[in-house]
Amino acid sequence: KVLTNKDGEKYIDLGKSKRATVRPFKGNVYVDIREYFGTDGEQKPGKKGISLSVEQWDLLKNSIDTIDSFF
């Protein structure tokens, strides 16, 4: 399910206050997986998170079967 924040950014809720968003930063586009804090109406991004470049995202996607096998 795709949700939208108050700034119009689309994101996927990953549960436990974590979100995945695709957003530009300093001229590049990143997949941002981050923990949020605050009330539902005023959630703000925390420092806990990771931003993946398009190349890193592609590498992660191509490694899904291998990562699944670790479980």
Side-chain angles (χ1 to χ4, degrees):
K1 181 178 175 182
V2 177
L3 302 168
T4 305
N5 68 16
K6 65 178 183 163
D7 297 324
E9 291 181 321
K10 295 179 182 178
Y11 68 92
I12 303 295
D13 185 351
L14 301 175
K16 296 188 179 182
S17 300
K18 293 175 181 64
R19 296 179 184 179
T21 307
V22 175
R23 66 168 48 109
F25 182 73
K26 294 187 178 182
N28 295 307
V29 178
Y30 295 92
V31 175
D32 188 51
I33 301 171
R34 190 152 309 278
E35 191 170 71
Y36 281 71
F37 65 95
T39 62
D40 285 336
E42 290 295 322
Q43 288 202 327
K44 297 183 180 186
K47 292 182 180 180
K48 292 184 179 180
I50 185 169
S51 291
L52 301 173
S53 66
V54 173
E55 294 81 13
Q56 291 169 320
W57 174 246
D58 286 338
L59 186 62
L60 181 62
K61 288 189 309 184
N62 292 331
S63 301
I64 292 296
D65 290 337
T66 301
I67 293 169
D68 276 346
S69 74
F70 296 159
F71 288 98

